[in-house]
Amino acid sequence: MSNRTLHHWIGTITISILLLGMTTANANEVSLRTVSAFAKGSSISDTFEQFVKRVNEDETTQVELDFIGGPEVMPPFQLGNAVRSGVVDVAFVPGAFYTNLMPVADALKLSEYSPWELRDSGAWEEIVQMWHQGMNVHYLAFTNYGNTFQLYLTKPVDNTDLSGLKLRITPVYRAFFRELGATVVQTPPGQVYTALERGVVDGYGWPIQGIFDLGWQEQTDYRVEPGFYTVEVGVLVNLDTWRSLTDQQRAYLTKQAKWLELLDRKNPKINSHARARQKEAGIETIRLDGEARETFVTTAYEAGWAEILQQAPDKGTRLRKLISK
Ligand code: 173
């Protein structure tokens, strides 16, 4: 059997197992099939895993999150489709990974407000409505707020001109890196190491947190400062699943989601630890200052919004009002 055929079968078998999975331990307790776009134990899913543990260890509640796995059980760019259709009940996935289904989803990276501020201002209700309509999911939690995106390189640059560089991207970085002149190639996180090792790319976009999880520090020479945007990874619940829960179960999950979001208040501190650790590993900082810094940050937001507005003019305009200062 060819590798490709084997992969096809593994995928089919995995999805079949997932479909068989919806279990009810007793009439009132519900078990939700949960899949992550990131490997278990990785930095990006750290707070989400704390949330799963907290819910599952709470004996007073009647919701269980049955954690099935990460990218090894489902390709991360297919997870959005799986939670939209109900193949999984709960997905931990960034908006950038399902822009094919909902282009505006990636705009949350441009939020200038924290999730707790969005909840307080009332913007949250409208955002939740957008995801109900556009994705058939309930947007339960906005995680990784305050973790920033960065540009990592194997070749130095001395200003914002990235022409001649080939960079690994996802939709998060696409418009921005292109605007600065780079050529881009999209890969899931699981292919970054090999792309660097083979010299297929001269760098990549990734958050300030997490480059050690898959050993990328071995293939990284420089990090450009400043970082840009906020990282956004959502906890999405299939809308039919969400509506099948009791009021009590929904209220409970919402309460725990707020707890989960507030864990991100530690990000400024975690980010400085990550910078120090990268320095120790020999990654040099390329610090853009003055006008170059201004160009870098302004271009990030302008190119980011331009792409969103081109792909989703109405929803993009509305979301921009809700999440910009
Ligand atoms: O770089 C990526 O794979 C990406 O878009 C992302 C988004 C959120 C968290 C981590 C990575």
Side-chain angles (χ1 to χ4, degrees):
M1 207 179 329
S2 77
N3 227 343
R4 179 164 282 214
T5 319
L6 185 65
H7 270 114
H8 171 80
W9 278 108
I10 291 172
T12 309
I13 291 165
T14 306
I15 289 168
S16 313
I17 291 168
L18 288 170
L19 281 168
L20 287 171
M22 181 69 155
T23 52
T24 36
N26 66 48
N28 297 318
E29 181 160 330
V30 65
S31 175
L32 306 178
R33 293 155 302 182
T34 302
V35 175
S36 171
F38 299 93
K40 194 165 183 200
S42 66
S43 307
I44 302 297
S45 59
D46 182 61
T47 62
F48 176 66
E49 285 172 36
Q50 291 181 52
F51 161 85
V52 170
K53 187 160 178 274
R54 181 179 167 93
V55 169
N56 289 344
E57 283 178 358
D58 187 345
E59 278 161 18
T60 67
T61 186
Q62 292 178 327
V63 191
E64 185 199 33
L65 298 171
D66 176 16
F67 187 85
I68 294 165
E72 75 286 359
V73 303
M74 180 165 295
F77 295 159
Q78 286 176 29
L79 185 50
N81 197 34
V83 69
R84 184 175 71 158
S85 67
V87 167
V88 310
D89 298 306
V90 179
F92 179 68
V93 62
F97 289 11
Y98 55 90
T99 51
N100 56 325
L101 305 173
M102 185 178 173
V104 82
D106 187 33
L108 291 179
K109 72 185 179 197
L110 303 168
S111 181
E112 295 177 59
Y113 294 104
S114 65
W116 47 97
E117 287 168 330
L118 293 171
R119 286 182 190 269
D120 279 352
S121 75
W124 191 264
E125 314 306 329
E126 216 177 309
I127 293 170
V128 166
Q129 280 310 314
M130 277 190 194
W131 263 253
H132 279 197
Q133 260 194 4
M135 262 300 277
N136 192 45
V137 298
H138 183 73
Y139 193 95
L140 183 66
F142 177 158
T143 82
N144 277 268
Y145 178 78
N147 181 3
T148 56
F149 288 108
Q150 306 283 152
L151 169 59
Y152 298 90
L153 295 169
T154 59
K155 297 173 180 168
V157 291
D158 52 19
N159 54 39
T160 60
D161 181 10
L162 305 181
S163 57
L165 293 175
K166 193 165 175 190
L167 302 175
R168 173 271 172 185
I169 54 130
T170 65
V172 166
Y173 326 90
R174 183 174 50 214
F176 177 35
F177 292 174
R178 269 194 184 152
E179 187 63 31
L180 296 180
T183 320
V184 298
V185 43
Q186 176 159 313
T187 83
Q191 287 170 22
V192 173
Y193 190 96
T194 314
L196 289 163
E197 193 182 30
R198 295 187 182 158
V200 172
V201 294
D202 309 305
Y204 58 97
W206 190 260
I208 188 66
Q209 299 175 25
I211 71 154
F212 291 89
D213 293 341
L214 295 167
W216 301 344
Q217 77 283 1
E218 293 167 7
Q219 305 288 339
T220 306
D221 300 294
Y222 307 95
R223 187 190 67 255
V224 175
E225 288 292 338
F228 46 93
Y229 307 150
T230 175
V231 178
E232 177 270 338
V233 188
V235 179
L236 313 183
V237 184
N238 172 269
L239 194 52
D240 306 300
T241 302
W242 180 251
R243 290 185 171 145
S244 75
L245 301 177
T246 63
D247 287 348
Q248 213 184 356
Q249 287 168 331
R250 281 193 294 261
Y252 174 77
L253 286 174
T254 302
K255 184 174 164 204
Q256 299 312 322
K258 292 178 187 172
W259 173 87
L260 162 63
E261 288 172 349
L262 288 174
L263 295 176
D264 282 321
R265 287 180 298 185
K266 289 200 186 123
N267 273 333
K269 204 166 177 184
I270 297 173
N271 294 350
S272 2
H273 283 301
R275 286 191 165 83
R277 190 170 171 203
Q278 289 181 22
K279 189 175 178 188
E280 264 169 48
I283 298 173
E284 275 181 54
T285 304
I286 298 173
R287 200 173 303 281
L288 300 174
D289 284 315
E291 214 171 293
R293 183 189 168 98
E294 179 65 22
T295 303
F296 195 73
V297 175
T298 308
T299 308
Y301 280 89
E302 283 178 2
W305 275 120
E307 188 183 64
I308 299 287
L309 291 172
Q310 187 221 330
Q311 294 176 358
D314 296 342
K315 282 183 176 159
T317 304
R318 184 62 201 149
L319 195 55
R320 188 174 194 170
K321 290 207 174 79
L322 292 171
I323 66 178
S324 307
K325 290 196 169 159

